[in-house]
Amino acid sequence: MSVPGPSFRECLRRSGFFPFRAAAVKILQLNITRRCNLRCRHCHVEAGLEQDRQMNDAVLEKCLEVAALPAITTLDVTGGAPELHPRFRELVARLAALGKRLLVRTNLVILQEAEFADLVEFYARHRVELVASLPDARGERTDRLRGAGVFAAIIAVMRRLNSQGYGRSGSGLVLDLVHNPVGAYLPGEQGALEADYRRVLAEQHGVEFNQLFCLTNCPVGRYLEYLQSSGNLADYMLALQAAYNPAAAGRAMCRETISVGPDGTLYDCDFNQMLDLPVAGNTPANIFSFDHRALAGREIVTADHCFACTAGAGSSCQGATLPTADLQRTAAK
Ligand code: SF4
Ligand code: SF4
């Protein structure tokens, strides 16, 4: 995939960010399985029930060892649907015992299945922060992207989570939602969208959440296939490129994150993982040779898909990377 005009690397160079280096490794993101009970149209992982890649025992044990390093402050468990890993409960309990910030990226729908229903209480007991994709506060748009009946299932599970304390102020139990556009366009302003979600979900469905994270769809996996088959790829890439924001490059999540694949390979982020782009050069590229110091100063592997992280207010697994005020200041320059 290439885009006419300056490449991502050239944009980095022009804005003084080349070579593009990590600043630290604080977040350890574990992709423990590619299996998923859903088949969302925008999925960069191309997850589904037919996928069989999952983290083996040796890699999982080594990840637990690395997770305990003092420099790692945030543990982020993802997939696929991470709940489908056979050692999921044990992994989460052991990560929680480390006393660090612990996030699980869940599609929520799986918590409706009898085998996983107890996880609502399990998550609360281990004080796990939940991050759940809800592309739109309107059911029809969400179902278009994620499958018929998904919106209703998410609302039903949110009610159970709310009754456990999740998303309620003062409980300390965090339920964050992720918005991403349903088509080939960039997301709107995160604060305004969060206010809209909060109003619609409370008034129409009686459910609450903490924060909304806005994610710019990255042209990888099924979303790339959608852009290609709908003839939108070139225009989408141009839109991302035109919105390149050097301030967002400085805040890209890869600058503080390392992503671990099911076989222990290390990547700069989950997107690079799906593109088979391991960490580069002389940096140890496997969890078994994890070298915190080398990884914290590594050069990050970039290509034009990275424009998704640096458009406008920036985009990351934790939403926009720049506050609106900063964005306005940048635009005014
Ligand atoms: S986006 Fe998430 S819930 Fe949907 S198929 Fe991919 S991993 Fe599963
Ligand atoms: S796609 Fe990955 S490597 Fe590229 S800027 Fe985003 S987080 Fe960094």
Side-chain angles (χ1 to χ4, degrees):
M1 174 204 340
S2 63
V3 55
S7 65
F8 185 72
R9 287 176 152 233
E10 181 56 25
C11 287
L12 288 176
R13 195 172 282 117
R14 290 180 189 178
S15 50
F17 277 110
F18 199 80
F20 195 43
R21 291 200 177 278
V25 177
K26 294 181 181 170
I27 303 170
L28 183 69
Q29 188 172 64
L30 309 178
N31 192 317
I32 62 172
T33 180
R34 302 280 165 83
R35 274 171 66 76
C36 188
N37 52 317
L38 299 181
R39 280 189 74 81
C40 305
R41 247 179 54 192
H42 66 299
C43 184
H44 72 276
V45 181
E46 302 188 65
L49 279 176
E50 75 286 0
Q51 299 278 8
D52 56 7
R53 290 185 66 190
Q54 61 183 24
M55 195 170 273
N56 65 42
D57 290 345
V59 173
L60 195 132
E61 290 298 331
K62 184 64 187 175
C63 286
L64 280 157
E65 198 182 306
V66 170
L69 295 175
I72 305 287
T73 56
T74 300
L75 309 168
D76 186 333
V77 182
T78 188
E83 293 93 338
L84 288 175
H85 190 286
R87 290 180 64 189
F88 175 73
R89 284 174 170 78
E90 178 205 343
L91 173 69
V92 168
R94 289 172 68 188
L95 291 174
L98 296 173
K100 303 184 178 193
R101 184 175 179 214
L102 173 59
L103 291 83
V104 169
R105 297 181 188 274
T106 174
N107 63 44
L108 296 183
V109 177
I110 199 163
L111 304 183
Q112 274 220 314
E113 296 183 14
E115 196 186 331
F116 301 99
D118 65 303
L119 284 176
V120 169
E121 193 273 332
F122 172 88
Y123 282 140
R125 190 164 70 250
H126 291 290
R127 316 296 291 175
V128 175
E129 287 185 32
L130 297 178
V131 183
S133 167
L134 184 62
D136 204 283
R138 277 89 182 164
E140 186 264 323
R141 284 166 157 250
T142 289
D143 284 1
R144 216 189 309 155
L145 209 56
R146 309 196 71 196
V150 164
F151 184 80
I154 289 173
I155 296 298
V157 172
M158 282 183 73
R159 288 203 182 101
R160 287 172 51 213
L161 287 166
N162 283 168
S163 63
Q164 210 39 252
Y166 269 104
R168 304 265 194 221
S169 61
S171 72
L173 291 171
V174 176
L175 170 60
D176 292 327
L177 299 178
V178 180
H179 159 85
N180 55 290
V182 175
Y185 52 92
L186 275 58
E189 195 271 315
Q190 184 164 281
L193 278 163
E194 181 178 282
D196 181 61
Y197 266 61
R198 208 175 291 292
R199 184 182 57 75
V200 171
L201 292 178
E203 287 177 7
Q204 297 182 12
H205 305 286
V207 291
E208 293 178 80
F209 63 98
N210 293 95
Q211 279 181 274
L212 182 75
F213 299 153
C214 279
L215 201 70
T216 303
N217 287 314
C218 192
V220 171
R222 263 184 223 135
Y223 188 68
L224 175 61
E225 285 166 20
Y226 154 73
L227 290 172
Q228 286 166 329
S229 63
S230 63
N232 281 309
L233 179 60
D235 285 349
Y236 187 68
M237 292 307 297
L238 285 171
L240 293 180
Q241 183 194 51
Y244 173 76
N245 181 351
R251 303 282 288 268
M253 63 182 168
C254 47
R255 300 199 68 219
E256 296 197 336
T257 303
I258 207 79
S259 156
V260 190
D263 64 354
T265 305
L266 303 180
Y267 302 87
D268 296 299
C269 70
D270 209 47
F271 300 123
N272 283 8
Q273 184 172 151
M274 299 315 140
L275 289 169
D276 256 330
L277 296 172
V279 292
N282 298 327
T283 319
N286 194 283
I287 193 78
F288 291 103
S289 45
F290 191 92
D291 178 340
H292 187 273
R293 204 160 150 195
L295 289 166
R298 75 192 186 277
E299 183 176 347
I300 294 163
V301 178
T302 56
D304 285 351
H305 67 285
C306 296
F307 276 124
C309 297
T310 56
S315 173
S316 74
C317 288
Q318 310 241 20
T321 51
L322 294 171
T324 307
D326 283 10
L327 185 63
Q328 283 162 351
R329 271 198 294 278
T330 310
K333 278 180 189 166

